[in-house]
Amino acid sequence: VAGLVARFDDFPVHKMCYNHSSTSAQELQLCIEDQTDQMESLVDEFGMTPFHVLFSTAKPRGELLEVLLDKFPYYILGWKDANGKLAMDYLVSNWT
């Protein structure tokens, strides 16, 4: 359990997506802009991108998705995590 608590310590964008209900679009945008090497911090230890994390939530917020789509290249949506799942797979499984 301790590992899960600290999972996003080195991934502030992931953490904000995970805590989506208390994150504003402006906060997420500023966090992304503050990252010195955005591409290196895109994938966590489970191979998940911020899109995977946001889409794993029960009710992902559209305004946060808009920020991610604006700030990151679209092809990231085609990346699979360590379980072989696309970010969209999580979104679909939460809505069915």
Side-chain angles (χ1 to χ4, degrees):
V1 173
L4 291 177
V5 172
R7 175 179 172 187
F8 300 122
D9 284 353
D10 295 327
F11 300 93
V13 175
H14 289 64
K15 188 173 196 169
M16 294 186 108
C17 289
Y18 181 77
N19 295 319
H20 65 96
S21 62
S22 61
T23 300
S24 73
Q26 183 179 11
E27 290 171 325
L28 181 59
Q29 183 173 346
L30 291 173
C31 181
I32 293 169
E33 290 170 359
D34 284 345
Q35 298 297 302
T36 54
D37 190 357
Q38 291 180 5
M39 294 305 284
E40 192 170 300
S41 62
L42 274 179
V43 180
D44 70 9
E45 64 188 275
F46 296 101
M48 296 181 93
T49 67
F51 291 101
H52 286 90
V53 176
L54 182 64
F55 290 167
S56 295
T57 64
K59 294 182 180 179
R61 295 187 33 223
E63 58 270 16
L64 299 185
L65 174 58
E66 287 180 28
V67 171
L68 293 179
L69 290 169
D70 184 54
K71 294 295 181 183
F72 295 120
Y74 72 91
Y75 61 80
I76 292 170
L77 289 169
W79 291 0
K80 293 183 178 181
D81 66 9
N83 294 315
K85 292 186 176 187
L86 299 168
M88 293 300 291
D89 293 331
Y90 291 98
L91 182 65
V92 170
S93 67
N94 282 335
W95 285 91
T96 57

